[in-house]
Amino acid sequence: MSHDSTAAPEAAARKLSGRRRKEIVAVLLFSGGPIFESSIPLSVFGIDRQDAGVPRYRLLVCGGEEGPLRTTGGLELTAPHGLEAISRAGTVVVPAWRSITSPPPEDALDALRRAHEEGARIVGLCTGAFVLAAAGLLDGRPATTHWMYAPTLAKRYPSVHVDPRELFVDDGDVLTSAGTAAGIDLCLHIVRTDHGNEAAGALARRLVVPPRRSGGQERYLDRSLPEEIGADPLAEVVAWALEHLHEQFDVETLAARAYMSRRTFDRRFRSLTGSAPLQWLITQRVLQAQRLLETSDYSVDEVAGRCGFRSPVALRGHFRRQLGSSPAAYRAAYRARRPQTERSADSEPPPPPPPALHPDAPGPVPPQLRRTAAAGAVGSPGSLPSEHARDAYASSRASLPGQRSGN
């Protein structure tokens, strides 16, 4: 699943200034960055595949700091260009950042701001979104990153509209992707945007990957609830919600339990989990339904009741929107993928089923269903240095074309 902003047509009309050229792609590398994410844009934009019908880009690999740059496995890299080469690029890609708790170098942030001001397209893959956010380029915009880091990104940069469900988000002149392989999805999307479906399809065949992947990050979400959430006053409300997903309650109920107005609760909840409370609640109900479909023989109607949906129709609608499949089709596909040893166990007498729960009756939820990654990996807030420079830049961006004030 991807998100294409309505701001994209406006951003596409922006003109590059100075020596910048549309076909030049600069990849900004830092020491400590993972080699897989770093290699994705190098492979997509740095190899001549014109014989396969893929238009050629000119690649500039730039060091975001003094080298040599250490990467996965202790390898050392030497970038052929420095930050000055970014001034020629029409697209600048930050494939990853070494630590979501460390501030990026201010020289690199200045180079990214300048590139954006001069019309360049800025791309952050996985944790590269943290670098774009530190530069102020994501303020007021939709963005994504690896689901595990999305709550931290939302908490540290509250003006960024973080959506942990998407594989990538295209907001015109600023683009972000989820973790690892989603970087390939976004790079293919860039080729498709620049040169059309045929070129992107030819490149996908060379890389032996699908031209487009359906769905988003929901299917990969870890259901564990991190210990860090326990320090927040809303933790009790979150825990209560996860324990009572079989009941029918709404966001107003949660706000009342937190002794907050709905508006205050929405704001505080989003800062904690990286998601709006209604979307979080729906996601948790779908995740529980997903687990029950995998581990039980309950009918779809029974699953809907045990997950707090008002009707099977509601379950089917939300399930399809989040996972791209109907509940029945998901169960059939899941069982077909199980190893033969698991399927043979079906012939053994099953254990007695637990007593049925009425949708409105209180009752415990199994521990494995109480967890969610929508609140996963909440990092300590921690302010970054040079915030005044970032804020000043963000406030001056209002006149830039292609800006989206997402809601």
Side-chain angles (χ1 to χ4, degrees), residues 134-283:
L137 300 179
L138 297 181
D139 289 351
R141 291 177 179 267
T144 194
T145 188
H146 192 293
W147 58 262
M148 190 167 61
Y149 306 125
T152 304
L153 183 64
K155 189 169 186 177
R156 184 165 298 152
Y157 302 100
S159 60
V160 180
H161 305 299
V162 181
D163 190 341
R165 300 168 299 168
E166 303 289 359
L167 290 176
F168 65 83
V169 172
D170 179 348
D171 198 44
D173 55 347
V174 178
L175 303 86
T176 51
S177 81
T180 314
I184 301 177
D185 296 311
L186 179 50
C187 288
L188 284 173
H189 171 74
I190 291 172
V191 174
R192 185 180 302 109
T193 300
D194 290 347
H195 301 291
N197 290 328
E198 188 172 345
L203 176 58
R205 288 191 293 275
R206 275 296 184 95
L207 298 176
V208 197
V209 296
R212 297 175 187 261
R213 281 199 294 165
S214 61
Q217 295 192 76
E218 294 95 338
R219 69 189 68 182
Y220 307 109
L221 293 180
D222 189 337
R223 291 170 177 80
S224 61
L225 191 65
E227 293 181 0
E228 291 92 333
I229 196 175
D232 193 281
L234 290 185
E236 184 177 346
V237 175
V238 170
W240 181 89
L242 294 173
E243 292 277 0
H244 294 79
L245 286 176
H246 59 284
E247 300 178 14
Q248 293 181 12
F249 59 87
D250 53 21
V251 177
E252 282 73 14
T253 301
L254 299 180
R257 292 190 67 87
Y259 302 101
M260 296 179 184
S261 67
R262 171 64 187 271
R263 182 176 180 180
T264 300
F265 180 79
D266 283 3
R267 183 175 66 253
R268 289 284 308 282
F269 192 94
R270 189 178 189 280
S271 71
L272 175 66
T273 68
S275 176
L278 178 58
Q279 184 57 55
W280 178 88
L281 182 57
I282 292 173
T283 298

